């Protein structure tokens, strides 16, 4: 699926498991060569492990605004999250919310009566921040609309997915209708 493409081109993260200290089975130590070869076989690309820092600046949030970083501490990905924000970042609407009993995206799922209180509290913080951003945007007197007049759909794709620059999609766009597995076979 799309996560495989994103992992191989934008978000390559070493991940291993032992089946003892985590919920994943069978045990699988990290193997960078196998991961890279898998990306090449599936998508025709090699991972770019430094891309997030190059593209988004790592955890340097100086220019960021209006972001809630929610972090379920039962999520194995929390170690890569933004776990704290400075007063200056909070003033720009950039906040970190720690959810001790939260799992992967639990705060983004539908609510349930059995949800832990910290998950419910996190949703309230997220909702309040988003509501304030919408209210602020609604009251803004100046809106900036990007000029996209000179951007074709192909140029837009290349701008968003630099790794895809190695091949042009067919002009008839029939490739969009092919099943995913057939497209993967064509790329490999």
């Amino acid at each position: 699926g799309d996560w495989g493409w994103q992992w191989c081109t934008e978000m390559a993260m070493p991940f291993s498991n032992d089946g003892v200290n985590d919920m994943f089975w069978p045990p699988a130590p990290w193997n960078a060569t196998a991961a890279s070869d898998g990306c090449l076989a599936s998508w025709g690309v090699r991972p770019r492990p430094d891309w997030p820092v190059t593209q988004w600046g790592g955890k340097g949030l100086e220019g960021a605004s209006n972001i809630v970083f929610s972090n379920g501490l039962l999520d194995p990905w929390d170690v890569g999250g933004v776990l704290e924000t400075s007063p200056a970042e909070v003033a720009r609407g950039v906040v970190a919310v720690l959810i001790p009993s939260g799992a992967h995206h639990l705060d983004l799922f539908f609510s349930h009566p059995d949800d832990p209180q910290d998950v419910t509290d996190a949703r309230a913080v997220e909702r309040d921040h988003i509501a304030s951003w919408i209210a602020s945007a609604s009251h803004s007197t100046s809106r900036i609309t990007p000029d996209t007049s000179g951007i074709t759909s192909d140029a837009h794709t290349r701008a968003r997915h630099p790794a895809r620059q190695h091949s042009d999609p067919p002009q008839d766009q029939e490739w969009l209708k092919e099943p995913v597995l057939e497209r993967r076979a064509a790329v490999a």
Side-chain angles (χ1 to χ4, degrees), residues 136-182:
S136 176
S138 297
H139 293 98
S140 176
T141 57
S142 64
R143 298 247 165 88
I144 298 172
T145 304
D147 177 13
T148 59
S149 59
I151 299 178
T152 64
S153 60
D154 184 52
H156 177 70
T157 299
R158 288 173 188 230
R160 292 184 49 140
H161 304 286
R164 292 186 182 173
Q165 292 182 18
H166 64 276
S167 65
D168 291 320
Q171 295 303 310
D172 62 1
Q173 300 298 311
E174 285 298 311
W175 67 280
L176 292 172
K177 298 176 185 172
E178 295 174 23
V180 173
L181 293 177
E182 290 176 22

Side-chain angles (χ1 to χ4, degrees), residues 66 105 167:
N66 298 349
H105 299 306
S167 65

Side-chain angles (χ1 to χ4, degrees), residues 62-149:
E62 294 79 20
S65 64
N66 298 349
I67 302 172
V68 174
F69 291 102
S70 62
N71 298 277
L73 299 183
L74 299 179
D75 182 346
W77 302 109
D78 80 299
V79 296
V82 175
L83 303 177
E84 59 183 36
T85 46
S86 71
E89 291 162 346
V90 171
R92 293 192 315 274
V94 179
V95 297
V97 178
L98 300 183
I99 312 168
S101 57
H104 191 68
H105 299 306
L106 180 58
D107 55 315
L108 303 179
F109 288 124
F110 292 106
S111 60
H112 187 276
D114 293 335
D115 285 340
Q117 186 61 48
D118 59 346
V119 173
T120 302
D121 294 344
R123 287 186 185 122
V125 169
E126 295 162 355
R127 193 170 29 253
D128 290 348
H129 279 277
I130 293 168
S132 74
W133 304 335
I134 293 170
S136 176
S138 297
H139 293 98
S140 176
T141 57
S142 64
R143 298 247 165 88
I144 298 172
T145 304
D147 177 13
T148 59
S149 59

Side-chain angles (χ1 to χ4, degrees), residues 41-56:
S42 295
W43 302 101
V45 296
R46 294 274 184 196
R48 301 179 299 169
D50 296 328
W51 182 247
V53 173
T54 301
Q55 179 67 17
W56 298 296

